[in-house]
Structure formats: C-alpha cells, structure tokens
Amino acid sequence: MHCLKPRNIALIDVNNFYVSCERVFNPKLINKPIVVLSNNDGCAVARSNEVKALGVGMGAPWFKFKDLAKQHGIIAYSSNYALYADMSNRVMSILRQFSPDQEIYSIDESFLDLTTFRSRDLIAYGQKMRKRILRWTGLPVCVGIGSTKTLAKLANHCAKKRTQFNSVCNFNTMHEIELNEILSEIAVGEVWGVGRKLAPKLNALGIHTVLDLKQADPEQLRQQFSVVMEKTIRELNGTVCIEMEEIAPPKKQILSSRSFGHPVRDYQSLAESITLYMSRAAEKLRKQQSYAGSVYVYIRTSPFREQDTFYSNGMTIPISSPTNDTMQLVNVALWILKRIYKPSFDYAKAGVMLGELVPAQGVQSDLFSMGQTSPKSANLMLAMDAINKKMGKESIKLASEGFTRTWKMKQENKSPAYTTNWEELIRVVR
C-alpha cells in the first residue's frame, strides 16, 4: 500500500452551517430554536442546539414535530441554497489565503495542508483563521489539525466538542499518551469512514473506541471489511494513506432532480420541469469542461400515496455525438419524456441524468451526425453562462422552462437571498 510521510493537515468546519448562515443576517435568531428543512419543507436537515435539546432528530419529518414547534417556539426555515452556496464560497476563498494547498471537501468543510508552515505556531494560526472568517462572514468555525486527514477530522471533532481547546485542536502538539487518552474517550462511530453502519460491526469485535480501532490489526480488519478500513487504521497511527485532492475530479455522472411542491398531472408542467433540470445539469457539465454521451430521464408518482396507483418510468438514450449544448440536450430529454409520460397520473418527482461524460478535449466527432456542437453553439453557451453568472441565475433561459412554475418546489419559509439578489439586500433604516 502506497502511504506518504506524516504532515500537518488542518480541517476547517463551519459550526452548524445552515443555521449559522440564517443567524448571520438575522441576529434575533441567536439562541433561538431553529430548524432548516429539506426540499418541499419535508424533513429537518439542520437543527440548532436548542432544537437538538428538545429531542428533534436529524431527518425528522416536519409534520410530525409541528406541534412541538408551536409549544417551544421552534422557527422553521426552508433551505436557501443560493445563500448557503455563496457563504460557502466566501469561507473557502478566505481559507485559500492561509495555504495554497486546499481541498474543498463539502459545502462547510475544507482541508488545508500546513506542512510547509512547520515554523509557525499552528494553534495561533488556526485562531487567526477563525477570527478572520468570523469577522469577514460572521460564521463560527472550528479547526482540527493532525498528521493525516482522518486524524484532522477527529481533531476537529474535539475542537467542536471540548471547550478547553477554544475551537482549535492540534493533535500534532500532543504526546502520544495524551492523544491516546483522548481517543479512548471517543466512540469509534465518530471516525471518518466508519459511521453508524460499521460501528455496530466493530463493536461486535470488541472495538468500541477510536483507540481500540487504532490498536487493531489493519491486515485482519482489511480481510473482514475492506482496504478502506486498513487505510483508516494506518491513518489513525499517523501514516498518510488518503492524499489531498486540490482539484476535485470531474463527475462521472450529473444528476438534477426535485420533488414537486404539489402533484403534477399535465405534460406541459412536466416538460417545464425537465427543461429546467436539464438546463442546470448542462451548466454543470460545461463548468467541469465535459460533454455528455447519454441522457436519462425519469418520472414517478409518490410511493407514499397508497390510495393512488404507483407509476415510475425512465429511459436512457445514447447520443451519437457527445454535446454540452443545453438546447440539444433538452430536445433529447423532451423526446424521452413524451415516450414515458402517461396521463391520469399525479407525478411527484422528475429528474434527468447526464452520463458517458468525456472531457472536452477528448470529444470525437461524428461525420454523419447532424447534432454536433458547432463553434456557433459553443459561443452561444459561453455567452449564456457568462450572462447568467454576472446578472444572476436564469437571466437568460429557454422559454420551455416556463415562467409561472406552479409545480416548483415548496419553500414557504425561505429567507431572502441576502448576498446574491439586489432586490433582497438588507436595508439599513435610520
């Protein structure tokens, strides 16, 4: 197994990201019980500490704890994707100022390689990161530092849960005895890559804490689980097996789908939704400089409405000449929709997926295909993306996306797009 020398890897994580974003622009929400809901205001995807204390679990359906919300004054917000994405970009941009070696792991987490900063006091450096992010964005973060990515994740867990670290924990400054004592107090389920699914299986083998896993035989557990488990154990012992990915690899598939705000029956509404989803998928396709070789479209009714007949169907069509042209991809998607659509059904969800992705440099043209991406088409897509980036999403769009969108996702309690929409900027009234 190829393993690398130990480093100083930092994981920076925004505390309760969605809730914190809402509180930045509405300070009245601080110390109030807040929950952020999923698509169509369905389930809890983020909970403030006050809500967690009331026993509301992650993924709890909103309709089940509405009475509890009224009783305790829980404030519910719809997911504000534009706000969260913009705030995330701001945090990641700030972190790039602290190290040129960055891996954006998720919307609220980022790894930094600080190995070349050995002469610095990394705890003080982590505090500097925290203060700058808090001052420039209002978001609170925790910093965990370890010799591997797995240990950095655990250090971040300690920074968040243990007040003595003041939100910055550096495992690399600890003696092995001190570190092992801390690891002996952390449940094995907190290890990156273990989680709730594997924890019971490890418990059955007598492995209950992180220290237990660290001291386990990596070869033996590889046979019982996988090579990933072996890498995890070696990383817990300070040997780097999971390298930094400064540039995220291109996606092999691009999926775009949503549940509708209410049941949809007519073909026109489905066509509008499919056009919108394909337009978003095509934009992502061009962003990673890829072309699609196949299009998949699916529609389905709700599996939870037992009084209705369930219907679900999907179809994949290969494209003879790969393309990233929105109009061409939409034409294929709507062709599929006409063949899988059946009237008299109340559809609850639809989606598209682009497959057989190839890099733009590797596209092989087809001499006999009439649907190839021409220079004129490429320039049109380039102009459309540039205008939408500068002027806001959907400033230019296909007419078949529709304008009223009665089928759109339910977001009854969405906060304003404070940072991405001129009309929704905060106004200071004297």
Side-chain angles (χ1 to χ4, degrees):
M1 180 182 296
H2 177 65
C3 295
L4 305 166
K5 293 181 179 180
R7 297 176 177 175
N8 283 310
I9 305 295
L11 176 68
I12 298 86
D13 169 52
V14 181
N15 301 347
N16 212 339
F17 181 61
Y18 291 175
V19 170
S20 294
C21 285
E22 299 292 350
R23 285 174 168 170
V24 165
F25 297 96
N26 189 353
K28 293 180 180 179
L29 298 176
I30 295 173
N31 297 324
K32 296 287 182 65
I34 304 170
V35 63
V36 177
L37 303 174
S38 63
N39 293 344
N40 288 308
D41 297 342
C43 303
V45 293
R47 304 152 295 150
S48 67
N49 291 332
E50 296 81 8
V51 173
K52 293 176 184 177
L54 294 172
V56 177
M58 177 63 81
W62 169 235
F63 75 91
K64 286 190 175 181
F65 65 93
K66 269 189 176 181
D67 291 338
L68 183 71
K70 289 180 180 179
Q71 183 181 350
H72 294 279
I74 297 176
I75 304 168
Y77 278 92
S78 304
S79 293
N80 190 337
Y81 299 114
L83 175 65
Y84 306 151
D86 185 67
M87 293 298 285
S88 173
N89 291 337
R90 293 174 187 229
V91 171
M92 302 309 167
S93 177
I94 294 170
L95 289 175
R96 275 192 287 275
Q97 300 173 12
F98 288 90
S99 174
D101 303 315
Q102 179 185 36
E103 176 188 339
I104 298 175
Y105 180 65
S106 66
I107 193 170
D108 60 348
E109 292 179 298
S110 180
F111 287 103
L112 294 181
D113 191 340
L114 304 178
T115 305
T116 57
F117 296 80
R118 284 194 180 93
S119 59
R120 285 183 175 270
D121 179 343
L122 292 184
I123 292 180
Y125 201 53
Q127 291 293 350
K128 188 176 180 180
M129 291 182 205
R130 285 187 59 241
K131 291 175 182 177
R132 184 173 298 180
I133 291 171
L134 185 63
R135 178 184 296 175
W136 290 10
T137 69
L139 295 173
V141 303
C142 287
V143 181
I145 302 171
S147 57
T148 67
K149 290 170 76 172
T150 302
L151 285 171
K153 288 276 281 186
L154 284 169
N156 184 277
H157 171 80
C158 291
K160 189 180 299 183
K161 300 293 183 181
R162 303 189 178 208
T163 56
Q164 69 264 35
F165 294 115
N166 193 22
S167 299
V168 178
C169 176
N170 186 357
F171 280 173
N172 288 345
T173 60
M174 297 182 185
H175 190 278
E176 187 176 0
I177 295 175
E178 181 186 2
L179 176 58
N180 285 345
E181 184 177 348
I182 290 175
L183 298 183
S184 70
E185 298 170 353
I186 304 174
V188 71
E190 296 294 340
V191 176
W192 188 30
V194 174
R196 296 178 181 177
K197 290 186 178 180
L198 293 181
K201 296 179 181 179
L202 290 170
N203 293 162
L205 297 174
I207 299 174
H208 298 278
T209 68
V210 178
L211 182 61
D212 293 335
L213 185 60
K214 177 183 177 181
Q215 296 175 338
D217 186 336
E219 295 287 348
Q220 183 179 349
L221 287 191
R222 174 178 179 167
Q223 295 175 2
Q224 292 182 258
F225 293 90
S226 68
V227 67
V228 175
M229 184 63 73
E230 180 188 2
K231 287 183 177 181
T232 297
I233 296 171
R234 294 192 186 282
E235 286 237 328
L236 289 175
N237 283 277
T239 303
V240 177
C241 299
I242 305 173
E243 182 59 288
M244 291 274 292
E245 293 181 2
E246 295 178 28
I247 301 176
K251 294 180 179 179
K252 297 181 180 180
Q253 296 176 327
I254 294 178
L255 175 68
S256 180
S257 67
R258 285 285 187 275
S259 296
F260 301 131
H262 60 80
V264 170
R265 178 167 291 206
D266 63 293
Y267 173 82
Q268 183 59 38
S269 293
L270 282 174
E272 289 179 3
S273 68
I274 290 297
T275 302
L276 173 62
Y277 303 155
M278 181 55 77
S279 298
R280 290 177 175 173
E283 186 177 349
K284 293 177 182 177
L285 183 71
R286 293 190 293 272
K287 191 172 183 179
Q288 72 170 37
Q289 298 183 344
S290 296
Y291 282 62
S294 69
V295 172
Y296 170 72
V297 176
Y298 78 92
I299 53 177
R300 68 167 175 81
T301 60
S302 174
F304 306 107
R305 291 175 61 88
E306 297 180 357
Q307 68 272 28
D308 297 339
T309 303
F310 180 72
Y311 174 70
S312 177
N313 202 354
M315 181 185 294
T316 301
I317 292 294
I319 304 174
S320 58
S321 182
T323 182
N324 64 6
D325 185 300
T326 297
M327 293 181 291
Q328 292 182 26
L329 293 169
V330 166
N331 286 337
V332 175
L334 293 180
W335 185 91
I336 296 173
L337 179 63
K338 288 179 180 178
R339 280 146 185 82
I340 62 176
Y341 169 74
K342 287 186 178 182
S344 303
F345 283 102
D346 291 327
Y347 295 97
K349 190 173 185 179
V352 304
M353 185 173 71
L354 299 176
E356 306 296 329
L357 305 190
V358 294
Q361 298 83 359
V363 174
Q364 185 170 351
S365 59
D366 185 342
L367 180 64
F368 304 101
S369 174
M370 300 297 292
Q372 296 186 59
T373 303
S374 65
K376 186 175 180 180
S377 166
N379 290 335
L380 176 60
M381 293 300 105
L382 189 65
M384 184 192 301
D385 291 343
I387 292 171
N388 285 334
K389 183 178 181 180
K390 182 177 181 179
M391 306 303 295
K393 282 188 176 182
E394 300 180 28
S395 295
I396 293 183
K397 63 182 180 181
L398 302 186
S400 55
E401 287 184 28
F403 298 93
T404 56
R405 296 182 185 171
T406 57
W407 45 268
K408 69 180 181 180
M409 183 173 62
K410 189 187 299 180
Q411 290 180 302
E412 295 179 348
N413 303 308
K414 187 173 78 68
S415 56
Y418 296 109
T419 63
T420 57
N421 188 326
W422 287 107
E423 300 300 321
E424 298 182 14
L425 291 178
I426 290 179
R427 291 176 171 83
V428 179
V429 180
R430 292 184 177 180

